[in-house]
């Protein structure tokens, strides 16, 4: 992009493109699609910069879909411009990132975000294949993603939105109403946020997919709800309590107070990760369901065993007495 | 806006008195439509009654002259001049295939998203999928193809 002699070098030019970055499901089953283009049609829902919008009909009885985020944002996460799912696997960003161990580099707040978006646009233009380097990611992660991905295209996402008047029982349009006349269902998947889905934080769909996978991988939450700790085995000898703590806090994205303590038993190369409550423990299990890498070595994760009730006041997890007790548990657990 | 009597307006030719009553009726309906409340209607829906009255009034005058031949040429021209009927719309009705056209906007391809296309109300009901009811957003027309 050539700037004139007096223009501000940091000023963002307009984003223009000839064809949108879309997944096959969003385009619909019909190979002949008529698409309209509008330069500077809307602002990107993530970086709020104006971009070229495209609008098309993905099949009979569907709503008209349009591109929601700009090409720069889509390229930096390798996702579709409308549905924000990964182009290769059709999975939410959070699932793909946890499976491949990618860190989220895009800042989320105001001026940082605009600066980042602007600069990454420059880098992408120079020919880099985008922020995701699939070659470097390990194949185990890719195999996992292939298994998690759905095999058939689900066109449920292209359906018209729900008629809000019908939900109140007051839709006057009747048959000619283009919106869906169904009652809305309220479950944990109803509250989705486009920014959360894009950045891969707090995405309910991703959580569901990861939880299902974790359950299949033997990490189902145990029936005893008083168990709030995870049991890690095959730790590398160089692992420290800090490394484990760091893993759960940063890459798993858990709040700082969720982790009650981490007890490392270097002799048997195991560790106990205690959480403050059951919910945080389950969140930790979901994140561990895919892969836990500490100091470069993949670690096995299991649920801890229920603690026998201690009548005397030796409750705190840290302390030599309880460490010995845990070591006993560890050896008997193997 | 027009139909204001100034010193320049010519008096109506003969034959106006018979139709004056009916035109006055249309006038009253128009005033009612203009002063209707907007409650319970969509934004686009508020203009539909106006377009509908324009269509029926123009239709009345068009029928009087071209079909029933009940008024003279001068009276017809005078009515068009005083804008009792929409001259552009009547011009379309004279063309084959556009005899039942609802409004001039629905064939204006410049207003449409894709080049050269028309409003959905112009599509004959036989070509539409079964049971699909359309009300075009411009004028609320439910189908103005000549075959319907």
């Amino acid at each position: 992009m050539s700037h004139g002699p007096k223009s501000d070098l940091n000023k963002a030019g307009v984003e223009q493109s000839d064809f949108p970055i879309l997944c096959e499901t969003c385009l619909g089953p019909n190979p002949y699609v008529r698409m309209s283009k509008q330069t500077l049609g809307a602002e990107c829902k993530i970086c709020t910069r104006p971009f070229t919008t495209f609008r098309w009909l993905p099949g009979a009885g569907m709503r008209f879909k349009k591109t929601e985020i700009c090409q720069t944002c889509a390229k930096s996460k390798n996702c579709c411009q409308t549905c924000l799912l990964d182009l290769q696997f059709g999975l939410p960003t959070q699932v793909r990132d946890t499976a491949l161990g990618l860190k989220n580099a895009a800042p989320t707040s105001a001026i940082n975000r605009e600066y980042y978006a602007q600069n990454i646009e420059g880098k992408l233009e120079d020919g880099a294949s985008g922020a995701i380097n699939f070659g470097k990611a390990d194949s185990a992660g890719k195999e996992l993603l292939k298994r998690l991905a759905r095999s058939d295209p689900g066109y449920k996402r292209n359906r018209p939105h729900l008629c809000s008047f019908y939900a109140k029982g007051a839709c006057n349009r009747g048959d000619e109403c283009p919106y869906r006349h169904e009652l809305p269902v309220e479950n944990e998947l109803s509250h989705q946020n486009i920014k959360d889905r894009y950045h891969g934080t707090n995405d309910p769909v991703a959580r569901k997919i990861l939880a299902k996978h974790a359950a299949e991988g033997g990490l189902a939450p145990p029936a005893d709800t008083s168990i709030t700790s995870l049991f890690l085995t095959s730790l590398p000898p160089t692992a420290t309590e800090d490394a484990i703590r760091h893993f759960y806090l940063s890459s798993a994205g858990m709040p700082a107070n969720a982790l009650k303590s981490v007890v490392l038993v270097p002799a048997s190369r195991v560790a106990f990760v205690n959480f403050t409550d059951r919910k945080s423990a389950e969140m930790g299990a979901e994140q561990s369901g895919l892969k836990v890498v500490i100091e470069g070595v993949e670690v096995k994760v299991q649920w801890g065993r229920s603690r026998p009730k201690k009548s005397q006041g030796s409750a705190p997890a840290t302390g030599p007495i309880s460490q010995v007790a845990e070591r006993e548990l560890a050896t008997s657990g193997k | 806006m027009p139909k204001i009597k100034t010193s320049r307006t010519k008096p109506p030719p003969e034959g106006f008195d018979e139709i004056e009553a009916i035109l006055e009726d249309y006038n009253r309906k128009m005033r009612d439509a203009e002063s209707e409340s907007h409650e319970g209607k969509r934004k686009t829906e508020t203009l539909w009654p106006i377009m509908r009255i324009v269509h029926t009034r123009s239709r009345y005058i068009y029928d009087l002259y071209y079909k029933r031949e009940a008024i003279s040429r001068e009276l017809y021209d005078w009515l068009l001049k005083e804008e009792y009927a929409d001259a552009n719309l009547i011009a379309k009705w004279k063309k084959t295939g556009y005899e039942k056209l609802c409004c001039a906007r629905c064939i204006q391809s410049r207003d449409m998203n894709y080049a050269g296309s028309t409003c959905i109300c112009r599509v004959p009901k036989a070509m539409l999928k079964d049971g699909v009811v359309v009300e075009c957003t411009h004028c609320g027309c439910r189908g103005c193809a000549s075959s319907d």
Side-chain angles (χ1 to χ4, degrees):
Chain A
M1 202 155 48
S2 62
H3 297 279
K6 284 199 183 154
S7 66
D8 181 4
L9 278 176
N10 234 359
K11 185 173 168 202
V14 291
E15 171 167 319
Q16 283 168 346
S17 40
D18 274 332
F19 195 78
I21 297 177
L22 296 171
C23 62
E24 293 296 325
T25 328
C26 284
L27 280 173
N30 190 346
Y32 304 102
V33 172
R34 190 172 56 163
M35 198 181 274
S36 72
K37 165 179 157 177
Q38 195 177 7
T39 44
L40 307 185
E43 65 171 25
C44 171
K45 295 249 167 37
I46 305 292
C47 62
T48 68
R49 294 185 308 156
F51 71 107
T52 311
T53 46
F54 293 89
R55 190 175 175 263
W56 69 98
L57 185 64
M62 305 293 184
R63 69 172 195 273
F64 272 86
K65 290 190 95 163
K66 67 186 202 303
T67 48
E68 307 285 345
I69 61 174
C70 64
Q71 297 232 331
T72 320
C73 289
K75 274 189 229 170
S76 76
K77 288 278 180 190
N78 196 256
C79 63
C80 170
Q81 273 188 276
T82 30
C83 63
L84 297 187
L85 297 179
D86 188 67
L87 288 174
Q88 213 175 339
F89 304 106
L91 292 168
T93 312
Q94 192 175 0
V95 174
R96 186 214 39 212
D97 285 350
T98 9
L100 298 178
L102 295 166
K103 295 286 182 293
N104 176 21
T108 40
S109 74
I111 194 77
N112 269 350
R113 177 186 67 202
E114 279 155 37
Y115 180 75
Y116 176 80
Q118 197 177 302
N119 289 350
I120 214 179
E121 181 179 358
K123 273 194 256 159
L124 287 174
E125 262 193 34
D126 292 340
S129 64
I132 317 280
N133 262 323
F134 275 109
K136 290 215 297 218
D138 63 320
S139 53
K142 280 202 271 188
E143 280 304 315
L144 170 63
L145 284 178
K146 268 194 221 140
R147 267 194 301 122
L148 287 176
R150 67 188 309 160
S151 46
D152 64 326
Y155 294 119
K156 274 174 74 172
R157 68 177 79 144
N158 295 345
R159 289 179 306 176
H161 289 138
L162 291 169
C163 182
S164 64
F165 291 95
Y166 181 79
K168 286 188 270 183
C171 183
N172 293 331
R173 295 176 78 172
D175 272 343
E176 69 104 13
C177 183
Y179 301 105
R180 251 188 306 155
H181 279 184
E182 279 168 22
L183 287 172
V185 257
E186 175 83 17
N187 56 19
E188 62 171 37
L189 292 180
S190 336
H191 303 283
Q192 295 188 30
N193 179 344
I194 199 173
K195 291 219 169 106
D196 279 346
R197 282 184 56 219
Y198 175 79
H199 291 295
T201 60
N202 193 16
D203 178 5
V205 182
R207 264 212 296 276
K208 191 162 161 222
I209 296 180
L210 290 173
K212 193 155 89 90
H213 168 81
E216 286 164 10
L219 227 61
D224 187 354
T225 49
S226 68
I227 298 181
T228 58
S229 49
L230 295 177
F231 176 43
L232 281 72
T233 41
S234 328
L235 280 177
T238 52
T240 60
E241 192 180 311
D242 267 337
I244 302 173
R245 202 182 275 270
H246 179 74
F247 171 82
Y248 275 100
L249 285 179
S250 63
S251 49
M254 308 193 54
N257 59 351
L259 221 50
K260 190 158 75 160
S261 62
V262 176
V263 182
L264 181 61
V265 188
S268 34
R269 307 232 299 236
V270 301
F272 282 88
V273 183
N274 297 312
F275 294 89
T276 44
D277 63 356
R278 171 57 175 233
K279 199 154 167 308
S280 328
E282 281 175 11
M283 262 186 11
E286 279 168 27
Q287 294 295 333
S288 324
L290 285 177
K291 196 167 59 169
V292 175
V293 178
I294 304 205
E295 308 277 338
V297 173
E298 185 157 342
V299 180
K300 267 180 34 183
V301 180
Q302 291 165 278
W303 277 97
R305 286 154 113 241
S306 61
R307 298 283 214 87
K309 288 260 179 288
K310 289 196 168 69
S311 46
Q312 284 80 24
S314 57
T318 53
I321 298 178
S322 47
Q323 269 192 349
V324 169
E326 284 181 330
R327 211 176 302 182
E328 281 178 355
L329 269 178
T331 48
S332 57
K334 281 211 216 129
Chain B
M1 285 299 91
K3 282 185 234 150
I4 310 257
K5 253 180 87 65
T6 67
S7 54
R8 277 184 67 191
T9 61
K10 296 195 178 48
E14 327 104 18
F16 182 65
D17 309 315
E18 285 97 25
I19 57 173
E20 187 175 1
I22 299 175
L23 287 178
E24 187 51 32
D25 259 348
Y26 277 118
N27 219 342
R28 242 178 284 130
K29 266 198 251 171
M30 183 62 103
R31 261 183 269 132
D32 288 342
E34 282 170 14
S35 54
E36 257 171 6
S37 136
H38 63 94
E39 294 305 324
K41 290 198 202 161
R42 317 199 299 266
K43 262 209 295 214
T44 41
E45 205 178 328
T46 50
L47 285 178
W48 293 355
I50 314 266
M51 318 270 285
R52 196 195 174 115
I53 293 171
V54 167
H55 176 104
T56 45
R57 191 170 54 190
S58 307
R59 185 109 241 160
Y60 172 63
I61 295 175
Y62 173 82
D63 280 347
L64 276 181
Y65 185 63
Y66 285 101
K67 298 283 186 296
R68 289 156 49 183
E69 293 178 18
I71 60 178
S72 61
R73 177 116 200 276
E74 296 103 16
L75 180 53
Y76 174 70
D77 286 342
W78 184 86
L79 288 171
L80 287 189
K81 207 153 173 210
E82 295 302 310
E83 298 203 17
Y84 279 97
D86 186 357
N88 292 321
L89 187 55
I90 293 183
K92 292 286 179 277
W93 285 339
K94 294 191 220 161
K95 291 162 63 154
T96 57
Y98 295 91
E99 286 92 0
K100 297 198 197 151
L101 182 63
C102 57
C103 61
R105 252 179 104 182
C106 290
I107 46 170
Q108 181 70 281
S109 61
R110 260 177 274 221
D111 280 354
M112 305 299 165
N113 268 335
Y114 298 104
S117 55
T118 52
C119 184
I120 187 126
C121 61
R122 289 297 296 158
V123 177
K125 291 204 178 52
M127 298 280 175
L128 287 176
K129 227 190 296 235
D130 292 328
V132 165
V133 182
V134 294
E135 257 183 339
C136 89
T137 52
H138 301 142
C139 51
C141 170
R142 291 222 170 86
C144 47
S146 300
S147 53
D148 291 332

